Amino acid sequence: MRLNKYIAQSGIASRRKADELTIAGNVKINGTVMRKPGYDVVEGDIVEVSGRKIEPVKKLIYLMLNKPKGFVTTVSDEDGRATVLDLLTDVSERIFPIGRLDYNTSGLLLLTNDGDLAYRLTHPKHKIYKTYRARVNGIISDARLAQLRNGVDIGGFVTSQAKVKVLKGTAHTSLVEIQIYEGKNRQVRKMFASVGNKVIDLERVAMGELYLGRLKEGHYRKLTQEEINYLKNC
Ligand code: URA
């Protein structure tokens, strides 16, 4: 990136002002005065303006991934398992998942380098509904549905009210949509286990008003400006 653009993107001066500062000898690259505004700043260069180290404002990235099963949502894994970052082939920024999905859960996962937003959205007091589709063993009775809706004990924690509906049922399995706003470890699996139904497959299909839609498994896309605004204001 040209030096004057680099300085301008750090927010301290316009490009024209950056040129003036450079020509006047106020800019150093790696400790040496640089008077050429067209110098090409390369990765690793340390740029100082009037004795202060500067960096361009980081580009904020917001992505939605359809996470397949078999990937961890941590940035690295002690056991060497594949992480969701392995799926982001053309992203050079250091980004990280907002919240987590189990190794065997698929579906909507947001990733960003916007630490403020990630922090806000994962804070327990933040009430954004997450919608899951769970395929569970057996029939799920009305009594069990009521228990799930009202709150169940998942081992030292009683879940808050949830929205739950059966989408499809056979004698062997039921497909259930469940919406919760808490994010306890393996919460949905534990909730169904507590009423006697084992989760066979679990997919997150929405977070608040953000929907997975037709995004294919293993694929990702940038959030639209509208979606970003929604997350910032919800
Ligand atoms: N609940 C679970 O049990 N697993 C997930 O991955 C997300 C919610």
Side-chain angles (χ1 to χ4, degrees):
M1 183 190 298
R2 269 176 76 94
L3 180 56
N4 60 358
K5 187 171 174 195
Y6 188 100
I7 296 172
Q9 285 196 1
S10 77
I12 64 159
S14 64
R15 280 195 209 192
R16 181 180 295 197
K17 180 77 182 147
D19 287 351
E20 286 170 19
L21 288 166
T22 308
I23 291 160
N26 291 307
V27 176
K28 284 184 182 168
I29 306 286
N30 305 323
T32 306
V33 172
M34 166 56 64
R35 291 178 190 269
K36 290 185 202 146
Y39 170 81
D40 188 19
V41 182
V42 292
E43 206 170 20
D45 274 350
I46 294 172
V47 181
E48 285 170 66
V49 177
S50 306
R52 210 179 95 209
K53 189 179 161 205
I54 58 153
E55 274 170 21
V57 173
K58 166 166 91 156
K59 192 170 145 218
L60 295 175
I61 313 264
Y62 304 88
L63 300 177
M64 179 191 291
L65 168 73
N66 185 348
K67 175 196 173 300
K69 286 181 177 183
F71 287 82
V72 292
T73 50
T74 45
V75 172
S76 63
D77 185 58
E78 282 178 355
D79 301 327
R81 292 176 296 180
T83 84
V84 288
L85 298 187
D86 296 328
L87 296 164
L88 309 178
T89 44
D90 63 356
V91 179
S92 53
E93 286 81 4
R94 285 182 54 193
I95 59 169
F96 46 88
I98 302 181
R100 60 184 172 220
L101 287 177
D102 297 339
Y103 185 69
N104 280 325
T105 300
S106 61
L108 193 163
L109 184 72
L110 299 178
L111 298 113
T112 187
N113 56 358
D114 184 340
D116 293 337
L117 183 73
Y119 175 78
R120 238 171 32 78
L121 289 178
T122 48
H123 197 278
K125 77 166 196 243
H126 196 88
K127 295 197 173 164
I128 184 166
Y129 266 101
K130 284 148 242 162
T131 307
Y132 296 89
R133 293 227 170 119
R135 201 160 62 82
V136 303
N137 255 339
I139 294 169
I140 182 147
S141 65
D142 287 348
R144 288 177 180 184
L145 286 175
Q147 279 179 275
L148 288 168
R149 286 185 188 122
N150 293 329
V152 287
D153 190 336
I154 56 168
F157 178 80
V158 178
T159 58
S160 302
Q161 291 206 331
K163 298 180 190 170
V164 190
K165 66 178 176 205
V166 177
L167 301 176
K168 219 190 256 178
T170 69
H172 307 292
T173 62
S174 310
L175 183 64
V176 186
E177 184 181 278
I178 178 163
Q179 293 181 292
I180 56 171
Y181 59 76
E182 298 141 326
K184 296 285 175 203
N185 192 25
R186 301 178 69 81
Q187 179 162 338
V188 173
R189 292 174 196 274
K190 287 179 184 168
M191 287 174 75
F192 280 103
S194 81
V195 296
N197 293 87
K198 186 176 168 10
V199 170
I200 306 164
D201 277 315
L202 185 61
E203 181 187 22
R204 181 156 68 195
V205 293
M207 277 180 74
E209 300 295 316
L210 262 55
Y211 301 94
L212 193 58
R214 290 169 185 269
L215 190 61
K216 290 198 183 118
E217 234 178 59
H219 288 224
Y220 57 96
R221 66 168 175 84
K222 285 186 180 159
L223 295 190
T224 62
Q225 193 55 50
E226 210 179 344
E227 289 171 323
I228 297 167
N229 293 345
Y230 165 75
L231 287 176
K232 288 188 174 172
N233 292 311
C234 75

